Short mmCIF file of all heavy atoms in Angstrom, two decimals:
data_model
loop_
_atom_site.label_atom_id
_atom_site.label_comp_id
_atom_site.label_asym_id
_atom_site.label_seq_id
_atom_site.Cartn_x
_atom_site.Cartn_y
_atom_site.Cartn_z
N ALA A 1 161.87 -244.47 -147.15
CA ALA A 1 162.57 -243.89 -146.02
C ALA A 1 163.73 -244.85 -145.65
O ALA A 1 164.77 -244.41 -145.29
CB ALA A 1 161.67 -243.53 -144.89
N PHE A 2 163.45 -246.20 -145.54
CA PHE A 2 164.53 -247.10 -145.08
C PHE A 2 165.28 -247.79 -146.13
O PHE A 2 166.23 -248.52 -145.78
CB PHE A 2 163.75 -248.13 -144.06
CG PHE A 2 163.27 -247.42 -142.83
CD1 PHE A 2 161.80 -247.08 -142.74
CD2 PHE A 2 164.08 -247.24 -141.78
CE1 PHE A 2 161.40 -246.45 -141.55
CE2 PHE A 2 163.63 -246.57 -140.66
CZ PHE A 2 162.25 -246.30 -140.46
N LEU A 3 164.79 -247.72 -147.32
CA LEU A 3 165.47 -248.53 -148.47
C LEU A 3 166.92 -248.14 -148.73
O LEU A 3 167.75 -248.94 -148.88
CB LEU A 3 164.60 -248.45 -149.71
CG LEU A 3 164.97 -249.35 -150.83
CD1 LEU A 3 165.11 -250.75 -150.45
CD2 LEU A 3 164.00 -249.13 -152.04
N PRO A 4 167.15 -246.74 -148.78
CA PRO A 4 168.57 -246.45 -149.03
C PRO A 4 169.65 -247.07 -148.20
O PRO A 4 170.68 -247.53 -148.70
CB PRO A 4 168.62 -244.87 -148.93
CG PRO A 4 167.18 -244.41 -149.17
CD PRO A 4 166.32 -245.61 -148.61
N ALA A 5 169.37 -247.15 -146.92
CA ALA A 5 170.38 -247.83 -145.91
C ALA A 5 170.52 -249.27 -146.26
O ALA A 5 171.64 -249.86 -146.26
CB ALA A 5 169.98 -247.54 -144.50
N MET A 6 169.37 -249.95 -146.60
CA MET A 6 169.44 -251.34 -146.99
C MET A 6 170.25 -251.56 -148.25
O MET A 6 171.05 -252.55 -148.33
CB MET A 6 168.00 -251.89 -147.17
CG MET A 6 167.22 -252.12 -145.73
SD MET A 6 165.59 -253.00 -146.07
CE MET A 6 165.16 -253.30 -144.40
N LYS A 7 169.99 -250.65 -149.19
CA LYS A 7 170.75 -250.79 -150.48
C LYS A 7 172.20 -250.62 -150.10
O LYS A 7 173.00 -251.33 -150.79
CB LYS A 7 170.22 -249.75 -151.51
CG LYS A 7 168.94 -250.14 -152.23
CD LYS A 7 168.70 -249.24 -153.26
CE LYS A 7 167.59 -249.82 -154.25
NZ LYS A 7 167.30 -248.94 -155.33
N SER A 8 172.60 -249.67 -149.41
CA SER A 8 174.05 -249.39 -149.10
C SER A 8 174.64 -250.57 -148.48
O SER A 8 175.73 -250.87 -148.77
CB SER A 8 174.14 -248.21 -148.14
OG SER A 8 173.70 -247.05 -148.79
N ARG A 9 173.92 -251.28 -147.57
CA ARG A 9 174.46 -252.50 -146.89
C ARG A 9 174.46 -253.74 -147.77
O ARG A 9 174.97 -254.77 -147.50
CB ARG A 9 173.59 -252.72 -145.55
CG ARG A 9 173.86 -251.76 -144.52
CD ARG A 9 172.95 -252.10 -143.35
NE ARG A 9 173.14 -253.46 -142.85
CZ ARG A 9 172.19 -254.23 -142.51
NH1 ARG A 9 170.95 -253.88 -142.57
NH2 ARG A 9 172.51 -255.48 -142.07
N ARG A 10 173.51 -253.61 -148.87
CA ARG A 10 173.23 -254.79 -149.67
C ARG A 10 172.73 -255.93 -148.83
O ARG A 10 173.20 -257.14 -148.96
CB ARG A 10 174.48 -255.20 -150.58
CG ARG A 10 174.81 -254.20 -151.48
CD ARG A 10 175.82 -254.68 -152.48
NE ARG A 10 175.97 -253.67 -153.63
CZ ARG A 10 175.33 -253.80 -154.73
NH1 ARG A 10 174.49 -254.78 -154.97
NH2 ARG A 10 175.51 -252.87 -155.73
N ALA A 11 171.74 -255.61 -147.96
CA ALA A 11 171.06 -256.67 -147.14
C ALA A 11 169.79 -256.12 -146.57
O ALA A 11 169.73 -254.94 -146.28
CB ALA A 11 172.07 -257.03 -146.06
N GLY A 12 168.82 -256.99 -146.45
CA GLY A 12 167.57 -256.59 -145.85
C GLY A 12 166.40 -257.39 -146.28
O GLY A 12 166.45 -258.07 -147.16
N ARG A 13 165.30 -257.20 -145.47
CA ARG A 13 164.06 -257.94 -145.77
C ARG A 13 162.97 -256.94 -145.60
O ARG A 13 162.91 -256.26 -144.47
CB ARG A 13 163.92 -259.15 -144.95
CG ARG A 13 162.54 -259.89 -145.32
CD ARG A 13 162.37 -261.24 -144.69
NE ARG A 13 163.30 -262.24 -145.30
CZ ARG A 13 162.99 -262.87 -146.34
NH1 ARG A 13 161.92 -262.70 -147.00
NH2 ARG A 13 163.90 -263.79 -146.79
N ILE A 14 162.06 -256.77 -146.53
CA ILE A 14 160.83 -255.97 -146.32
C ILE A 14 159.66 -256.82 -146.41
O ILE A 14 159.45 -257.61 -147.39
CB ILE A 14 160.80 -254.93 -147.48
CG1 ILE A 14 162.09 -253.96 -147.42
CG2 ILE A 14 159.54 -254.10 -147.39
CD1 ILE A 14 162.15 -253.06 -148.58
N ILE A 15 158.78 -256.75 -145.40
CA ILE A 15 157.57 -257.54 -145.34
C ILE A 15 156.30 -256.55 -145.36
O ILE A 15 156.30 -255.69 -144.60
CB ILE A 15 157.58 -258.44 -144.04
CG1 ILE A 15 158.79 -259.38 -144.07
CG2 ILE A 15 156.25 -259.21 -144.02
CD1 ILE A 15 158.89 -260.17 -142.86
N VAL A 16 155.45 -256.86 -146.22
CA VAL A 16 154.30 -255.90 -146.51
C VAL A 16 153.08 -256.73 -146.24
O VAL A 16 152.79 -257.74 -146.83
CB VAL A 16 154.29 -255.29 -147.92
CG1 VAL A 16 153.14 -254.39 -148.08
CG2 VAL A 16 155.62 -254.50 -148.16
N SER A 17 152.19 -256.10 -145.32
CA SER A 17 150.87 -256.66 -145.10
C SER A 17 149.86 -256.37 -146.21
O SER A 17 149.59 -255.24 -146.41
CB SER A 17 150.26 -256.21 -143.69
OG SER A 17 151.05 -256.65 -142.64
N SER A 18 149.57 -257.40 -146.94
CA SER A 18 148.50 -257.22 -147.97
C SER A 18 147.28 -257.88 -147.53
O SER A 18 147.04 -257.89 -146.31
CB SER A 18 149.09 -257.80 -149.31
OG SER A 18 148.08 -257.55 -150.36
N SER A 19 146.54 -258.56 -148.31
CA SER A 19 145.25 -259.11 -148.04
C SER A 19 144.87 -260.03 -149.12
O SER A 19 145.15 -259.85 -150.34
CB SER A 19 144.30 -258.00 -147.79
OG SER A 19 142.92 -258.45 -147.75
N ILE A 20 143.81 -260.88 -148.84
CA ILE A 20 143.24 -261.57 -149.96
C ILE A 20 142.49 -260.60 -150.88
O ILE A 20 142.19 -260.88 -151.95
CB ILE A 20 142.28 -262.71 -149.48
CG1 ILE A 20 141.21 -262.16 -148.48
CG2 ILE A 20 143.05 -263.92 -148.85
CD1 ILE A 20 140.21 -263.27 -148.21
N GLY A 21 142.09 -259.41 -150.22
CA GLY A 21 141.47 -258.33 -150.97
C GLY A 21 142.43 -257.70 -152.00
O GLY A 21 141.99 -256.85 -152.74
N GLY A 22 143.73 -258.11 -151.92
CA GLY A 22 144.61 -257.76 -152.99
C GLY A 22 144.73 -258.71 -154.18
O GLY A 22 145.41 -258.47 -155.13
N LEU A 23 143.98 -259.84 -153.97
CA LEU A 23 144.03 -260.91 -154.95
C LEU A 23 142.64 -261.01 -155.67
O LEU A 23 142.58 -261.45 -156.83
CB LEU A 23 144.39 -262.20 -154.34
CG LEU A 23 145.70 -262.37 -153.65
CD1 LEU A 23 145.91 -263.67 -152.98
CD2 LEU A 23 146.84 -262.22 -154.69
N GLN A 24 141.58 -260.68 -154.91
CA GLN A 24 140.26 -260.71 -155.52
C GLN A 24 139.42 -259.67 -154.91
O GLN A 24 139.61 -259.30 -153.77
CB GLN A 24 139.66 -262.16 -155.20
CG GLN A 24 139.40 -262.48 -153.87
CD GLN A 24 138.97 -263.94 -153.60
OE1 GLN A 24 139.59 -264.70 -154.11
NE2 GLN A 24 137.83 -263.99 -153.03
N GLY A 25 138.44 -259.19 -155.64
CA GLY A 25 137.57 -258.21 -155.12
C GLY A 25 136.58 -258.78 -154.06
O GLY A 25 136.15 -259.95 -154.22
N LEU A 26 136.16 -257.98 -153.06
CA LEU A 26 135.32 -258.49 -152.04
C LEU A 26 134.08 -257.47 -151.95
O LEU A 26 134.29 -256.22 -152.06
CB LEU A 26 136.00 -258.35 -150.68
CG LEU A 26 137.25 -259.33 -150.61
CD1 LEU A 26 138.00 -259.00 -149.24
CD2 LEU A 26 137.00 -260.78 -150.84
N PRO A 27 132.88 -258.05 -151.93
CA PRO A 27 131.71 -257.14 -151.91
C PRO A 27 131.78 -255.99 -150.90
O PRO A 27 132.22 -256.28 -149.66
CB PRO A 27 130.52 -258.17 -151.61
CG PRO A 27 131.07 -259.49 -152.08
CD PRO A 27 132.55 -259.51 -151.88
N PHE A 28 131.42 -254.88 -151.22
CA PHE A 28 131.36 -253.72 -150.31
C PHE A 28 132.76 -253.26 -149.85
O PHE A 28 132.93 -252.48 -148.87
CB PHE A 28 130.40 -253.93 -149.09
CG PHE A 28 129.04 -254.25 -149.56
CD1 PHE A 28 128.50 -255.61 -149.32
CD2 PHE A 28 128.31 -253.27 -150.15
CE1 PHE A 28 127.20 -255.84 -149.76
CE2 PHE A 28 126.96 -253.70 -150.61
CZ PHE A 28 126.48 -254.93 -150.38
N ASN A 29 133.78 -253.82 -150.49
CA ASN A 29 135.19 -253.47 -150.04
C ASN A 29 135.97 -252.93 -151.34
O ASN A 29 137.13 -253.18 -151.38
CB ASN A 29 135.97 -254.56 -149.49
CG ASN A 29 135.54 -254.84 -147.97
OD1 ASN A 29 136.16 -254.20 -147.05
ND2 ASN A 29 134.69 -255.71 -147.76
#
């Protein structure tokens, strides 16, 4: 949704909340 405007301006930062659960498996998760 927001990327086209950033591309047009050729500027921006996107920060995404991940987790250590994106690096290794966690029991029951």
